[in-house]
Every structure is written in C-alpha cells, then in structure tokens.
Amino acid sequence: RFGPLVGYPSTYYSYIYARCIAAELWGEFFAGDSLAPGAGEKLRDGLLKHGGARDPERILRDMLGQDTLRELPDGGGVAPDPRRALAELERRN
C-alpha cells in the first residue's frame, strides 16, 4: 500500500547522490583530459576492482578525500557534497 511512497523517493535520491559522486570523480580524474594516461587506471584500481568487497564510503573517501562525503545530523548516514555537480549544471545553462 505504501510501496510507491517508500520506493520512489529512495530511488530518486539515489540517482542524485550518484550524480554528485560522478561529478566529483569526473572533476578529479578526467576534467582536464578525459583520455589522460593513468586516469582510467586510477578509477579501475581505486573504485572498480573492489566490487562489493569494500565499504563504498571508504572507497570514495580514499579516492576523493575525507570531505567528499559529509555526515548527516542525528546519525542519518552520509551524503555527497553537491557543489561540483551544481557547478556542472550551471555551466550547461
């Protein structure tokens, strides 16, 4: 009965979080030269090779720094920093 209320928001916000994280990864490793030697290897070795064997939060903090994710109040988990994604959207307009 409440499935749409519970399922849709979590999917929607997961997409936004993924977009923010993707913008951080792009800005860190590919923005200057997306075909730069070593950029793909850094992504593969730092993020992809672990599969589900490591905590995703730890992987992102190791790759992008401790400030990439911020703690939410009252133990609500973590959230990505949206600034780079917002800057990317502003450039497109």
Side-chain angles (χ1 to χ4, degrees):
R1 183 175 203 164
F2 295 104
L5 292 175
V6 174
Y8 178 75
S10 63
T11 303
Y12 179 76
Y13 287 110
S14 295
Y15 169 77
I16 293 172
Y17 277 25
R19 189 67 191 97
C20 290
I21 292 167
E24 285 290 326
L25 289 167
W26 180 265
E28 185 70 26
F29 296 106
F30 301 102
D33 180 4
S34 59
L35 299 176
E41 287 84 3
K42 288 179 186 176
L43 185 68
R44 181 194 64 212
D45 294 342
L47 179 70
L48 301 175
K49 80 173 184 179
H50 303 292
R54 285 189 65 204
D55 177 40
E57 179 184 346
R58 182 79 266 140
I59 292 172
L60 289 172
R61 288 185 190 272
D62 288 348
M63 286 194 69
L64 298 170
Q66 294 299 315
D67 296 335
T68 298
L69 301 173
R70 60 184 173 88
E71 301 292 328
L72 296 175
D74 300 324
V78 296
D81 184 345
R83 288 179 289 191
R84 201 179 299 236
L86 291 171
E88 185 177 306
L89 288 172
E90 288 174 357
R91 279 194 304 274
R92 290 182 183 183
N93 290 330

